[in-house]
């Protein structure tokens, strides 16, 4: 893992946006694996600004999102289809976009179809990830198989509570989602994970320095051949080897980007 620690969330988001833009400049036909949630809004805002400034184009890229709630149609205000249109797709020249259909007649069939589509496209080139407070990536909750493929997952109460702010009532938050599996994510050529804030301290420490275990799904990234973890000072507080990470990549590795 390459661990890049920045002073604050804003600088961390700058770093992640530049990593994505750099990949698109060198490999315009990249298959992007995209994520949703509040953590990613700043990243997408920066990519939109870079696109409008002529610094990056998405025209040759294809995107596959990590997940979608079971039961929500694409036009639902809380669907990830809607999120992606509002926060990225409607503002850049990315047209070849893919997300699972949460309202499919058979969610298991849809999950298998989505996995097959990722494989047919040649798998993910750069996978963008957030990190759940319980260590989940995508919607791969604790105890998920570390070799799992795209499938249906039951969401933990803590995950539903974290996402309840997007819904009118907690009871409206779906209990299931279609998510890329951990095995699917691990096939990506490159992974970039962004996490910030004190609420992610324990998950960040378990992911980077803990044992590889289904109890913290993100810990499997220790086994990936090319992972960049971008965090802020608040999220880095639990790292025992912090001094070493600073020595290897001082100032968040900015001189190396």
């Amino acid at each position: 893992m390459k661990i890049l620690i920045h002073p604050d969330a804003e600088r961390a988001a700058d770093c992640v946006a530049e990593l994505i833009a750099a990949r698109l400049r060198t490999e315009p036909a990249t298959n992007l694996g995209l994520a949703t949630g509040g953590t990613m809004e700043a990243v997408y805002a920066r990519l939109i600004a870079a696109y409008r400034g002529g610094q990056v184009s998405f025209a040759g890229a294809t995107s596959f999102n990590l997940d979608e709630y079971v039961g929500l149609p694409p036009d639902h205000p809380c669907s990830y289809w809607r999120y992606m249109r509002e926060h990225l797709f409607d503002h850049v020249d990315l047209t070849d976009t893919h997300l699972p259909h949460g309202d499919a007649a058979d969610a298991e069939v849809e999950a298998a179809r989505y996995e097959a589509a990722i494989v047919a496209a040649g798998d993910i080139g750069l996978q963008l990830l957030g990190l759940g407070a319980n260590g989940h990536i995508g919607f791969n909750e604790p105890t998920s198989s570390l070799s799992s493929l795209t499938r249906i997952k039951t969401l933990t109460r803590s995950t539903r509570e974290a996402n309840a702010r997007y819904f009118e009532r907690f009871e409206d938050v779906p209990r299931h989602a279609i998510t890329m599996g951990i095995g699917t994510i691990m096939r990506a050529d490159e992974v970039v994970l962004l996490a910030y804030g004190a609420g992610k301290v324990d998950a960040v420490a378990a992911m980077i320095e803990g044992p590889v275990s289904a109890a913290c799904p993100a810990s499997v990234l220790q086994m990936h051949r090319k992972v960049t973890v971008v965090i802020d000072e608040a999220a880095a507080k639990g790292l025992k080897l912090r001094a070493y990470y600073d020595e290897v990549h001082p100032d968040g590795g900015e001189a190396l980007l």
Side-chain angles (χ1 to χ4, degrees), residues 3-6 243-256:
I3 312 300
L4 305 182
I5 304 172
H6 291 270
Y244 176 69
Y245 307 138
D246 287 342
E247 182 179 354
V248 176
H249 299 295
D251 300 318
E254 291 182 7
L256 305 178

Side-chain angles (χ1 to χ4, degrees), residues 7-256:
D8 50 44
E10 289 73 23
R11 295 281 290 279
D14 288 342
C15 175
V16 170
E18 175 54 30
L19 289 171
I20 295 170
R23 173 88 185 206
L24 288 169
R25 293 184 196 112
T26 58
E27 299 184 43
T30 291
N31 290 332
L32 293 174
L34 299 179
T36 54
T39 299
M40 299 304 160
E41 292 178 14
V43 174
Y44 293 146
R46 285 157 173 75
L47 288 172
I48 291 168
Y51 166 73
R52 290 174 174 169
Q55 299 168 323
V56 67
S57 172
F58 297 80
T62 299
S63 72
F64 289 90
N65 263 71
L66 279 167
D67 40 40
E68 179 60 284
Y69 291 114
V70 170
L72 297 193
D75 59 353
H76 190 283
C78 297
S79 75
Y80 289 146
W81 285 84
R82 176 72 72 86
Y83 174 102
M84 291 306 302
R85 289 197 298 269
E86 292 180 352
H87 292 288
L88 186 65
F89 295 163
D90 287 351
H91 309 285
V92 299
D93 57 347
L94 177 61
T95 58
D96 192 1
T97 60
H98 304 266
L99 290 89
H101 289 271
D103 61 343
D106 188 322
E108 291 186 358
V109 170
E110 173 62 9
R113 180 203 66 78
Y114 197 67
E115 177 71 25
I118 294 169
V119 172
D123 285 324
I124 304 300
L126 185 150
Q127 177 65 60
L128 175 63
L129 295 175
L131 177 67
N134 63 3
H136 73 239
I137 48 176
F139 272 134
N140 295 285
E141 300 282 27
T143 75
S144 291
S145 165
L146 300 185
S147 62
S148 56
L149 303 181
T150 304
R151 70 213 187 286
I152 313 304
K153 280 298 295 180
T154 300
L155 305 182
T156 63
R157 184 176 181 86
S158 63
T159 294
R160 295 176 68 221
E161 288 173 344
N163 292 344
R165 65 187 185 274
Y166 301 111
F167 295 80
E168 291 187 7
R169 305 174 304 162
F170 171 74
E171 292 75 14
D172 296 331
V173 183
R175 295 189 67 249
H176 300 91
I178 298 173
T179 182
M180 282 190 199
I182 296 174
T184 314
I185 292 168
M186 290 293 285
R187 295 199 311 266
D189 178 58
E190 176 181 3
V191 174
V192 175
L193 185 145
L194 171 63
Y196 52 75
K200 301 297 175 69
V201 168
D202 291 342
V204 165
M207 170 181 64
I208 297 172
E209 297 179 346
V212 175
S213 167
C216 177
S219 66
V220 74
L221 295 174
Q222 296 176 33
M223 308 295 291
H224 195 281
R225 60 189 175 276
K226 188 176 183 182
V227 178
T228 302
V229 175
V230 182
I231 54 180
D232 70 347
E233 288 283 352
K237 294 296 186 184
L239 295 174
K240 296 178 180 179
L241 299 177
R242 166 65 190 272
Y244 176 69
Y245 307 138
D246 287 342
E247 182 179 354
V248 176
H249 299 295
D251 300 318
E254 291 182 7
L256 305 178

